[in-house]
Amino acid sequence: MVKKGRIVAFFLIVALIAGLIWQTAMDVATEIKLGLDLQGGFEVLYEVKPANEGDIINDEALEATASALNQRINVIGVSEPFIGIEGDDRIRVQLAGVEDQQSAREILATEAELSIRNVYDEVLAHGSDLRQGGANANLHPDTNDPIVNLTFQDSRLMQEITGELYHGPPEENMLVVWLDFEEGVDSYEEERMKADPKYLSAAVVRDVITSPTATISGDFTVEETRQLAEILNAGALPTTLEELSSNSVGASLGERAMEQTIYAGFIGIALVFIYMIIYYRFMGAVAVVTLSAYIYLVLLVFNLMNAVLTLPGIAALILGVGMAVDANIITYERIKDEIRSGKSVLSSFKAGAKRSLSTILDANITTILAAAVLFWFGTSSVQGFAVMLIVSILTSFITAVFGTRLLLGLWVKSRALDKKYRLFGVKEDEINDL
């Protein structure tokens, strides 16, 4: 006797899955953060070197440098940057969606070492003398020009500096503000003759400044003063960075790559679906349902992890479809073998599901171990592939093993498929006892 309640339960579950995917799939897909190879941006690999003689590049120095870079990236306004430490002396920075890549590169690489000097390039004050958060973008009260106000920790410092210059020889009465002054290379005498000098500003001291505040003024835009203030507040890098390599992807190129990859993925998945239905008949239709749920769950988990999807990640997702199909095929072939041996459909389903589990576990565990090795020793793009592959395998195990057995079991245990061997892709003349 056919147990119709199990069949009704099957259709309710399928309808629930279909409704959930239909209502939320687009929202999940659009919320996933894309890597630079899909939305454009650039990647830079730096070698970290000591800033001062005798300094050592260790884990602490690398972490401090990565933290300083992260503060500077906040100035650029990138929402999901990637800053990864590689090896003993390298840092990789990935910025997706950045349009002005040259400006971003300059902000990252500058040492941001502020110094106030006289006309002989002698240091009068360092950036370390600034109060924490003491650089602020503002507008000049008289001219309304963009300026940067600097507030020092010691209120007497500006009074001492300006007093010395004001009462000194007229030709030395100049307060010169530098960013990243290079000893032995830069000089005020050379730069003052240029139309666009390297120093930030140079001003004649017309009175002794008794407040702890100095002003950087010049031919700045409002945005430039904001960035300068934030870079100064972020502090100087504790190390020196040397750019080893860079990779730039235009926004249009990234968009085209994503479209082509998704198109190819749809074709590949559609071919898998068609093959499963043709070769495994009813069991193949069940596999299509669970594979659809698998793809949705992988994207949902990836989104909840706040991970960044890249081209290798999409490749790992499609590879995961293959792993999920492989688990289904192993189970289905076991069931078909049991049917061919003359067992009933219910007995074949139970035996096939039981005997295929160890094989599926072995295949998944070995692949997870390989993905873990890739993640541990790989770089950014390889790590992204490994993460997506691990998520895909774990999700496929849930859908292909438990999901498939639940849905197929409802039909088998309802007795509606008894002796209907062709629905399992088995011909009657292949069965031993018939």
Side-chain angles (χ1 to χ4, degrees):
M1 180 178 177
V2 177
K3 300 176 182 179
K4 296 181 179 180
R6 294 182 180 273
I7 299 176
V8 172
F10 170 86
F11 283 111
L12 286 175
I13 293 173
V14 172
L16 180 63
I17 294 172
L20 181 64
I21 294 175
W22 178 264
Q23 291 295 324
T24 62
M26 287 303 298
D27 292 334
V28 171
T30 53
E31 288 177 4
I32 292 178
K33 299 172 181 64
L34 303 179
L36 66 89
D37 54 357
L38 294 177
Q39 65 166 314
F42 78 98
E43 172 187 78
V44 185
L45 178 63
Y46 292 111
E47 181 180 358
V48 183
K49 295 184 175 182
N52 304 300
E53 188 176 351
D55 290 351
I56 300 174
I57 301 301
N58 51 22
D59 291 342
E60 185 178 349
L62 291 173
E63 291 288 349
T65 304
S67 177
L69 286 173
N70 188 55
Q71 291 184 57
R72 295 185 177 196
I73 290 171
N74 291 336
V75 176
I76 303 170
V78 178
S79 58
E80 293 296 329
F82 171 83
I83 304 174
I85 298 173
E86 299 181 3
D88 298 327
D89 61 351
R90 296 186 178 185
I91 292 180
R92 186 181 300 273
V93 179
Q94 291 182 342
L95 303 179
V98 175
E99 296 180 0
D100 190 354
Q101 298 179 10
Q102 185 57 37
S103 176
R105 182 181 275 105
E106 291 174 357
I107 290 174
L108 286 174
T110 181
E111 296 176 7
E113 182 60 45
L114 179 77
S115 61
I116 298 177
R117 300 170 183 263
N118 59 21
V119 294
Y120 301 118
D121 304 325
E122 296 171 339
V123 179
L124 304 176
H126 282 290
S128 57
D129 296 320
L130 284 178
R131 189 179 297 172
Q132 185 176 4
N136 297 286
N138 215 324
L139 296 175
H140 195 284
D142 298 326
T143 63
N144 214 37
D145 292 331
I147 59 173
V148 177
N149 290 328
L150 306 176
T151 304
F152 293 91
Q153 300 180 43
D154 187 354
S155 60
R156 298 169 298 176
L157 182 61
M158 281 306 297
Q159 183 175 348
E160 293 174 359
I161 292 174
T162 55
E164 182 180 341
L165 294 176
Y166 180 72
H167 294 103
E171 64 272 12
E172 298 179 5
N173 186 10
M174 188 71 68
L175 199 65
V176 187
V177 182
W178 292 82
L179 187 65
D180 295 342
F181 181 90
E182 295 184 57
E183 296 287 352
V185 177
D186 296 330
S187 71
Y188 170 73
E189 279 299 319
E190 292 184 7
E191 293 296 325
R192 73 185 182 93
M193 307 301 294
K194 299 178 181 179
D196 185 20
K198 184 177 177 181
Y199 53 76
L200 295 177
S201 67
V204 175
V205 178
R206 304 189 184 279
D207 202 353
V208 177
I209 301 175
T210 56
S211 72
T213 303
T215 300
I216 300 176
S217 59
D219 189 17
F220 299 127
T221 65
V222 173
E223 181 64 20
E224 287 172 341
T225 56
R226 183 190 68 82
Q227 288 188 351
L228 176 59
E230 291 185 349
I231 290 173
L232 293 175
N233 288 331
L237 292 174
T239 56
T240 300
L241 299 180
E242 179 181 335
E243 185 175 316
L244 296 180
S245 63
S246 63
N247 178 37
S248 176
V249 179
S252 59
L253 180 62
E255 183 179 356
R256 187 163 61 251
M258 182 173 66
E259 290 176 353
Q260 292 174 345
T261 304
I262 293 176
Y263 180 70
F266 274 132
I267 293 177
I269 292 171
L271 290 175
V272 169
F273 284 2
I274 293 171
Y275 170 80
M276 292 297 291
I277 292 174
I278 292 176
Y279 193 78
Y280 291 103
R281 310 292 174 84
F282 182 77
M283 293 190 297
V286 172
V288 169
V289 175
T290 57
L291 286 172
S292 300
Y294 153 78
I295 296 171
Y296 172 80
L297 287 175
V298 168
L299 295 177
L300 179 62
V301 171
F302 209 67
N303 192 21
L304 293 176
M305 290 172 58
N306 203 30
V308 178
L309 185 63
T310 61
L311 283 174
I314 295 177
L317 171 62
I318 297 173
L319 178 61
V321 174
M323 295 292 295
V325 169
D326 182 61
N328 283 323
I329 289 175
I330 291 172
T331 301
Y332 293 168
E333 288 296 334
R334 288 285 190 180
I335 294 173
K336 290 172 67 175
D337 288 341
E338 297 295 332
I339 292 176
R340 291 189 184 102
S341 69
K343 293 182 180 179
S344 67
V345 170
L346 179 58
S347 297
S348 298
F349 169 74
K350 291 180 178 179
K354 182 179 179 180
R355 293 178 181 178
S356 62
L357 182 60
S358 60
T359 304
I360 296 171
L361 277 173
D362 290 342
N364 285 341
I365 290 173
T366 52
T367 308
I368 288 176
L369 289 175
V373 172
L374 286 176
F375 180 83
W376 185 260
F377 293 102
T379 56
S380 56
S381 58
V382 176
Q383 288 177 328
F385 175 85
V387 169
M388 177 59 94
L389 185 57
I390 292 173
V391 171
S392 298
I393 292 170
L394 294 176
T395 308
S396 72
F397 185 81
I398 295 172
T399 56
V401 176
F402 297 105
T404 297
R405 294 182 186 193
L406 171 64
L407 295 178
L408 185 58
L410 288 173
W411 274 94
V412 171
K413 293 174 183 178
S414 73
R415 301 292 183 175
L417 301 180
D418 285 356
K419 297 184 179 181
K420 297 179 181 179
Y421 307 114
R422 289 186 177 275
L423 291 178
F424 293 86
V426 179
K427 298 178 181 178
E428 291 184 358
D429 57 6
E430 296 176 345
I431 301 174
N432 292 337
D433 293 344
L434 290 183

